[in-house]
Amino acid sequence: MINLQEGVIPKIEVKKPYALVAITKHGVSHARQYKNQFPNVDVYYMKKFARGDEDEQQIQLFDGTVRLLLPALFKEYKAVICIISLGAVVRMIAPLLVDKKKDPAVLVIDDKGQYVIPVLSGHIGGANDLAREFAAVIGALPVITTASDVQKTIPVDLFGARFGWTWDSADKLTPVSAAVVNEEPVAIIQETGERNWWMHDSVMPQNLTMYPSIQAAIDARPNASLIITDRLLEAKEQVLLSNGVVYRPKSLVLGIGCNRGTSSAEIEAVIEDTLAEMGLSKKSVKAIATIDLKKDEEGLLDVLAKNSWSFKVYTPAELNEMPIIHPSDTVYKYTGAYGVSEPAAMRCANNQALLLEKKKSGNVTISIARINFKGENACTELSSLEQGVVLEKQRLR
């Protein structure tokens, strides 16, 4: 709880690059929804709208006028997104403005979520690009009023943000952004992830070139590179990182089976060890998939909450529809399914070609599949009924 006092800049917990603030009942409902759709935000809203799950959802409540919260947000975040009226925001931020090279981006969203308006730091602070990205996520209209906003190129620090992509390191964001806007040769290599990331109604600028492989890009010797992959780069490939950014799409599904009562520590250790062995990034994990018997497994729920991953469960009949190489009569005897981790991963990823067929470690069995982005992805959140069961279990702990 943040208790706001006149003349005192409050302490806040900064975990994401952007802050999202709401002060009305409808704004709070939207903010909670936007947090799931756009995972790069820390959410803040008024104490009187508390719903009881703010700690587990990592939402920060404040008591007092939002005007007293904004100085802290201005100081700590790349952007402040306000579900507050435009006029009120302008009046509240006016005393905080310093310089266009230092001020964060500020966006305003109306109470119905129809419009996203960049208010401050449109270009240098990235407000215009963030407005487009955020509007695309929530199905709103970005209202861009800057006359010089004509380059229509890739916003390096926001590239893929609407899909949940994250970058490995921020070290090269500035020089790579400079290469992009200054029309220097820039290589783009995409190994996985959503392909519909180009947002403009024009062709890509000629300085941006797609390459079929990292080696092809290395041979071309570009001034900068954008690499979209869930792999950990090999030593010989890291030459591109001298002026490159690696993006991690949410492209991996972990099929998990475990004995009842397996601890979250054991489950997470198996996940981390397995991903390292496979040369895959944990940042690219989108979901855990399993059998519906495990929808209230506490160890799994803890891992999911800690990592903000999606959770998909399937009935034995749904799992048995998937082809697996080594069906188990023993597993069938206890679960009604001939396998758990393999078919769950395949079904969730809509891909029968597993990256890891099955690995048994202690009380945990794990399989890994890469999401098929060419087809419909079945890996969505739990149904409302299943989610209610999960949340109830979490509250009882």
Side-chain angles (χ1 to χ4, degrees), residues 76-92:
E76 300 292 344
Y77 287 97
K78 291 180 60 178
V80 181
I81 306 167
C82 303
I83 309 177
I84 305 172
S85 72
L86 175 59
V89 170
V90 169
R91 290 186 180 90
M92 289 188 290

Side-chain angles (χ1 to χ4, degrees), residues 154-165:
I154 292 175
V156 173
D157 63 337
L158 293 171
F159 190 30
R162 61 187 167 128
F163 304 118
W165 297 4

Side-chain angles (χ1 to χ4, degrees), residues 170-244:
D171 290 348
K172 299 298 181 180
L173 289 176
T174 298
V176 172
S177 294
V180 169
V181 299
N182 291 328
E183 301 180 343
E184 299 172 14
V186 177
I188 304 172
I189 309 98
Q190 182 168 13
E191 296 184 340
T192 187
E194 293 85 351
R195 301 281 170 167
N196 58 328
W197 43 259
W198 183 248
M199 298 178 61
H200 304 292
D201 57 1
S202 58
V203 298
M204 279 198 304
Q206 293 184 354
N207 68 307
L208 305 181
T209 304
M210 296 285 297
Y211 288 91
S213 68
I214 288 180
Q215 187 57 54
I218 292 173
D219 294 340
R221 298 186 177 182
N223 288 30
S225 59
L226 309 176
I227 305 167
I228 309 148
T229 184
D230 53 26
R231 292 189 306 110
L232 303 178
L233 296 189
E234 299 176 12
K236 64 181 181 180
E237 298 173 321
Q238 293 181 15
V239 63
L240 288 180
L241 299 186
S242 61
N243 196 34

